[in-house]
Amino acid sequence: MTVVRLVGLAVLAVGVGAFSPAARRPSRALPLASASVSDAPTISEIEGKENLMRTIDENADKLVVIKYFASWCRSCRSMKPRFERVASDWGSRARFFEVEYDKNKELCRDDLNLLALPTVQIYAGGAAGLLDTFSCGPSKVTTLVDQLETYSG
């Protein structure tokens, strides 16, 4: 019988078989990330048309970047770390948000008429200040950065 105990972040196995050759193999676990919480980009999720409009208006003092995505979309999943990187780089000059398609189908399909995912919208000066809407897969992140540079200056 093997007994497993948690000690801090390590797991110790004690008992029969704990000292077998398999138990003595070095762990292949990846080291913990050293990034602090403050390094993480702030990307908030928005649900519903009213919340979307209110969020855009409340952040009218900066550029507002909204990514529309779906959890089942392969391009959307590939875009996630790239969008986070842009959000981290531009965090002081723009605010970043996400809208999940499956939770907001009516908004995405009927109100915004989105034809592809992921799609990005950029606003300035509130909900009436839509500057651009474009499909933005992982290969088009440079387009997002170019648009941010164009509209920020």
Side-chain angles (χ1 to χ4, degrees):
M1 177 171 133
T2 300
V3 178
V4 177
R5 289 188 292 176
L6 294 175
V7 179
L9 295 176
V11 176
L12 300 176
V14 180
V16 178
F19 298 102
S20 67
R24 288 181 286 188
R25 271 190 217 124
S27 171
R28 295 176 194 246
L30 296 173
L32 296 174
S34 61
S36 69
V37 173
S38 63
D39 293 341
T42 302
I43 302 172
S44 302
E45 189 169 333
I46 302 171
E47 285 190 34
K49 183 177 182 177
E50 295 79 21
N51 288 335
L52 175 66
M53 294 300 131
R54 184 176 63 246
T55 300
I56 295 168
D57 286 335
E58 288 174 354
N59 292 285
D61 60 322
K62 292 190 177 195
L63 289 175
V64 174
V65 182
I66 302 170
K67 178 185 74 169
Y68 299 88
F69 74 100
S71 59
W72 45 262
C73 169
R74 177 181 252 165
S75 291
C76 298
R77 289 192 306 263
S78 296
M79 177 68 178
K80 183 177 174 61
R82 293 166 175 87
F83 190 71
E84 290 173 349
R85 194 172 319 120
V86 172
S88 179
D89 293 346
W90 281 80
S92 63
R93 297 172 281 174
R95 300 230 167 78
F96 291 80
F97 301 92
E98 295 179 322
V99 174
E100 186 173 352
Y101 178 84
D102 289 327
K103 294 179 183 176
N104 300 280
K105 285 183 182 177
E106 185 178 319
L107 169 67
C108 294
R109 263 193 330 234
D110 303 336
D111 297 334
L112 299 173
N113 196 29
L114 298 181
L115 302 175
L117 293 175
T119 293
V120 171
Q121 288 185 325
I122 301 174
Y123 289 86
L130 177 62
L131 300 173
D132 207 348
T133 300
F134 55 95
S135 173
C136 188
S139 63
K140 295 184 180 177
V141 172
T142 55
T143 302
L144 172 58
V145 173
D146 291 344
Q147 297 296 53
L148 288 172
E149 288 174 355
T150 299
Y151 296 129
S152 68

